[in-house]
Amino acid sequence: LYKILTGRHPYLEGSPLLPEAIQRICEMTPAPFRQSLAKWDADLETITRKALEKDPARRYQSVGALAADIDCYLADQPITARAPSTIYQLSKLVKRNRWAVMGLAAVLGMLVSFSVVTLVQSRQVRAERDRANQEAAAAKQVASFLEDLFKYADPTNDRGKGEVTARDLLRSGRQ
């Protein structure tokens, strides 16, 4: 598998003699895939490294187990050779369901945008309402002032004076 993926043997570069070849196989670890692959894949390297593991307990226990991991890799499922971290599991789920995840992200983006726009608009409406209430209160005060002012100028009102001048009206309004 290593030779198929990288184009070179994991241990026997050149033509070593048998004792040197045995020593390399027992002591060396193969070069990382990054050195020989243009398109490197961590899962493929993990599967290959587990197949080449020196300790028999850490290698695949059968060809069927290796084939099952390769099948999982091809189906974008999590492989058993890798530790099952949450991020790894989620990345595989996203890779398998790319369109569904993009659709969900689009819906969430629209929901967030709608919420932000609604929040901004509600703040603007509140500000306009408060401004309108202030203007209404000011208009009510002006109307009340004018009413009181013209009550003073009412000819039916008995103030002891015959005619009311503008100066009298303003003096009365100021009080």
Side-chain angles (χ1 to χ4, degrees):
L1 180 61
Y2 186 94
K3 189 170 184 175
I4 290 170
L5 294 172
T6 64
R8 57 192 174 95
H9 196 278
Y11 306 107
L12 305 178
E13 283 298 308
S15 299
L17 299 175
L18 184 60
E20 186 184 348
I22 292 172
Q23 182 184 5
R24 283 185 187 179
I25 292 171
C26 291
E27 296 174 2
M28 280 181 55
T29 58
F33 276 30
R34 291 180 206 145
Q35 292 177 358
S36 54
L37 284 180
K39 187 177 178 192
W40 172 75
D41 189 298
D43 282 348
L44 274 178
E45 183 170 9
T46 304
I47 290 169
T48 305
R49 287 198 176 279
K50 184 170 181 173
L52 292 172
E53 187 64 48
K54 306 275 187 243
D55 182 11
R58 293 177 59 190
R59 271 195 304 258
Y60 286 106
Q61 297 304 305
S62 67
V63 174
L66 172 62
D69 245 5
I70 291 172
D71 288 341
C72 286
Y73 169 77
L74 293 173
D76 281 328
Q77 297 284 334
I79 60 171
T80 59
R82 181 172 261 196
S85 70
T86 305
I87 292 173
Y88 174 69
Q89 301 278 343
L90 285 174
S91 71
K92 287 295 184 177
L93 178 70
V94 167
K95 201 172 188 181
R96 280 192 315 271
N97 302 301
R98 195 169 281 147
W99 289 107
V101 170
M102 287 189 330
L104 181 63
V107 168
L108 286 175
M110 288 189 301
L111 185 62
V112 167
S113 299
F114 176 75
S115 298
V116 167
V117 167
T118 302
L119 180 66
V120 168
Q121 286 179 343
S122 70
R123 286 185 179 171
Q124 289 173 344
V125 166
R126 253 185 270 136
E128 287 296 319
R129 181 201 60 209
D130 293 344
R131 190 179 59 76
N133 285 341
Q134 287 174 347
E135 287 179 10
K140 200 177 217 180
Q141 287 177 340
V142 167
S144 175
F145 170 75
L146 289 175
E147 263 183 43
D148 290 345
L149 192 62
F150 285 110
K151 278 183 188 174
Y152 179 79
D154 186 7
T156 61
N157 194 356
D158 194 21
R159 300 227 185 247
K161 294 184 178 181
E163 280 189 26
V164 179
T165 64
R167 189 171 295 234
D168 292 337
L169 278 177
L170 290 175
R171 195 174 299 124
S172 151
R174 190 167 96 209
Q175 291 172 354

